[in-house]
Amino acid sequence: MNLLETPIEYLKGVGPQRGDLLRKELGIHKYADLLNLFPNRYIDRTRYYKINELQNSNSEVQIVGKIINIKTVEQGKGKSRLVATFVDDTGQMELVWFQGQKWIRESLKINIPYVIFGKVSQFGATYNMAHPEMELLEEHKASLRSAMQPVYPSTEKLGNKGISNKVINKMMQQLFVETQALFSENLPNYLLDELKLIPKNAALFNIHFPKSQDLLAKAQFRLKFEELFFIQLQLITKNLIRKHKIKGMPFEKVGENFNNFYKNHLPFDLTNAQKRVLKEIRNDLGSNAQMNRLLQGDVGSGKTIVALMCMLLTKDNGFQSCLMAPTEILANQHFNGITELAKELNINIKILTGSTKTAERKIIHEELENGSLDILIGTHALLEDKVQFHNLGLAIIDEQHRFGVEQRSKLWKKNDVPPHVLVMTATPIPRTLAMSLYGDLDISVIDELPPGRKPIQTVHRYDSNRLKVWKFLKDEIAKGRQVYIVYPLIQESEKMDYKDLMDGYESISRDFPLPQYSISIVHGKMKPADKDEEMRRFSEGKTNIMVATTVIEVGVNVPNASVMVIESAERFGLSQLHQLRGRVGRGAEQSYCILMTSHKLSSDSKIRMETMVRTNDGFEISEVDLKLRGPGDIMGKQQSGVLNLQIADLVKDKDILQLARHHAIKLLRDDAPMEKSEHAKLREAFIELSKKKTIWNYIS
């Protein structure tokens, strides 16, 4: 048995009680888990200070000296402190303890050299150190210690039960003694040479007991690379296996529907980005493997037309397609958009949502099964068991992060051969996250807007500028434009949201009175039919202003709306602000986004406002968002467990991630089964890792 598989309680100095705590608090079950508990930070103990060099800097220092006397000082109200006089050859200072005095007093030795370590404070002319770490000089010299002292992750409970950083450090030393620090190398020699990586043994030793700053940096680089390299190997292998195993239905021809639409009915010329993406998709559909592609494109970049052209290709090859969206509003928008685009073609398109009437449903089910329905657009309703296709060739999923993995797999099962899959998102995903979260999907990006679109001008205004902002809105409405005013939605306090919205609505109604102005209002408490009616009035131009909570974030397309006012903008995340801004700028007119905030802004809020004003580039915004919030938050609750990396950090280590992906692709191109002799150790480690049910195996 591999020694690293030994249960943690068998490590000398741990035992059943401590073992139980380590399991519950830090997830440490066996030796290997302790070995992979990497320090959060390090304290530099390369230097020994003299007492006459001390400064009142609140920094941690270590000093060699002796205790010459110990006394208890009463503090009144039955409290006392233990004070020891500590000297070296340059002066004297005091060591102070407020807790555990009896035990400490008994353990202290007089006139024997100690090494003390802790924070120094100054009272009058005297320096003192409270609750110092202490070690006899003789033991200090003998222990397996490094100049840089590791500080390990911990919890309050561990601290209360006496498992301090010092204790974890001792356990780590014991682990290295018992295993003799022999850890098997799992990367091939040529990779170690090419990237100048230090060996596994040296890396693990120097991450826990660094001999110098330089060796610590090399150890961190080596271990971060290894972690990210294995993740990339897993994801890319999964992609290769799927392409190999899951046979797709090759769409061999580009036929009448596609060509007719492309030559005669395109409402505008495709951008180069749209052409490039279509070519990537056509290559996938024409191969013998199942397509699994992520299509990213900012709001308004023209993903819908790409989706339609893929569906036309599907029909040309004798198959049906479906498009699933997370909300009825969005499904309706896709349906209206696609029906309008395809109105000159002879294609049967239907929509299925929760509000589809029973009679209509019956027709849809029949036409789906006999194959006469070409395209079905809908919400989660598409996943119902009753919905059976004649031959589903392509499934398109919009805003896929809103659907769970199980929901998506239901779609796959509606056909004997899994359909081709195109996942679309208007939420730009930072490159680092895309490479790690969707590393097993092929990725296409539409990174340019259709011609004639003017970039939206974004400004940040404080509440004190409101009169000027209202005047600007009146000028825009006078030009025949329409305006959104959006209030934040805070799930915890629906009452408060509703009140904010209603107060806002009342003051807007006073400032924009009837009959000169008319206002629509939309919020979560309204019946769906009332919501749709208000949306319809606004999109038909019957009202000038739409006052809403964030329900309009996705799905309203009103080209005549040219101003988006976001109230309390500091209460929104960056991606939400960017999505909301994307509701305007859909026509040829200059559009504006006005971020209203109070004067009190946190530093993060300031960065968010500055970023929105500076750029319209969704990818740049998503990178800033990733830095501010970290990967877990960006992916939402359902996927926040995805990125429990042990040492690497997706934000700080994106260069290492790119390097790891590059080398993983190179290795798998050369030797996908990892059968060459130089890959034997790598293959072994890879198989071990793949046995663990990591979340990586469930993504996409």
Side-chain angles (χ1 to χ4, degrees), residues 265-418:
H265 304 296
L266 260 183
F268 46 76
D269 288 342
L270 296 181
T271 61
N272 288 329
Q274 285 172 314
K275 287 178 186 163
R276 185 188 67 240
V277 166
L278 266 170
K279 195 171 167 190
E280 290 167 352
I281 292 171
R282 270 175 55 181
N283 287 343
D284 282 2
L285 295 174
S287 77
N288 280 325
Q290 179 211 21
M291 170 169 85
N292 215 359
R293 193 168 274 282
L294 172 69
L295 174 58
Q296 296 194 71
D298 233 329
V299 178
S301 62
K303 293 185 297 295
T304 310
I305 207 155
V306 170
L308 171 64
M309 292 174 81
C310 297
M311 292 169 164
L312 295 176
L313 263 180
T314 309
K315 178 168 167 60
D316 281 339
N317 286 276
F319 293 97
Q320 297 167 302
S321 41
C322 68
L323 191 162
M324 183 162 82
T327 63
E328 277 201 29
I329 294 176
L330 201 49
N332 275 310
Q333 189 184 316
H334 279 306
F335 177 68
N336 296 334
I338 285 173
T339 314
E340 176 61 29
L341 284 168
K343 63 174 186 269
E344 303 293 330
L345 308 172
N346 180 22
I347 290 189
N348 185 1
I349 307 173
K350 293 237 170 15
I351 182 166
L352 177 66
T353 66
S355 20
T356 308
K357 303 274 186 291
T358 314
E360 181 62 14
R361 269 172 197 265
K362 205 165 165 252
I363 297 168
I364 290 175
H365 291 156
E366 279 168 16
E367 291 186 349
L368 265 188
E369 287 182 48
N370 67 30
S372 62
L373 181 54
D374 302 309
I375 295 176
L376 180 61
I377 294 168
T379 53
H380 298 76
L382 299 189
L383 301 173
E384 290 165 6
D385 294 337
K386 282 199 197 79
V387 179
Q388 290 301 327
F389 290 81
H390 176 61
N391 57 355
L392 179 62
L394 172 70
I396 300 180
I397 298 171
D398 195 20
E399 294 303 339
Q400 70 94 36
H401 55 280
R402 305 202 178 191
F403 293 103
V405 178
E406 295 82 13
Q407 290 176 311
R408 284 177 293 185
S409 65
K410 273 189 176 172
L411 260 186
W412 301 183
K413 296 186 181 122
K414 293 194 179 280
N415 227 34
D416 302 336
V417 182

Side-chain angles (χ1 to χ4, degrees), residues 185-200:
E185 184 55 73
N186 51 16
L187 295 179
N189 289 335
Y190 67 82
L191 203 53
L192 298 178
D193 295 343
E194 188 183 337
L195 297 172
K196 299 187 173 58
L197 298 175
I198 62 173
K200 179 87 173 211

